[in-house]
Amino acid sequence: MARLPATTAQLRVLHQSFSQRVLEGEVTAGGFHWTFSWAFDRGELSVEPSLGRALIQDALLRFLLKADYQLEPGGDYAFTVRARF
């Protein structure tokens, strides 16, 4: 059976504000680099730049929802994207 494609994404939390209900950071994977802002009270995720955004946005949101309360500013995290890029 063929192995599923996978890429490891590296995430760094840069800023977190419970009063504004936002988490901001950067994520890199497969040579791409994005910044993100997640309004966790509304579940809204913004990813910039648009180049390659479709590759990371869904996997990033799933990771943020799963790891929500474990994420801290300055923390480095990794998650797997089921695609190769």
Side-chain angles (χ1 to χ4, degrees), residues 14-81:
L14 301 175
H15 175 76
Q16 183 179 41
S17 172
F18 287 107
S19 62
Q20 296 176 345
R21 295 178 171 89
V22 69
L23 180 77
E24 297 173 335
E26 57 190 20
V27 62
T28 58
F32 290 92
H33 180 88
W34 302 272
T35 58
F36 69 89
S37 178
W38 182 43
F40 49 82
D41 64 328
R42 297 184 308 272
E44 295 176 4
L45 177 62
S46 170
V47 179
E48 295 296 331
S50 60
L51 180 64
R53 180 181 353 194
L55 297 171
I56 197 69
Q57 193 161 3
D58 288 340
L60 175 58
L61 182 57
R62 282 192 304 274
F63 174 77
L64 291 171
L65 290 169
K66 181 179 177 183
D68 187 8
Y69 293 103
Q70 301 166 14
L71 302 175
E72 297 182 5
D76 292 320
Y77 306 91
F79 61 98
T80 302
V81 180

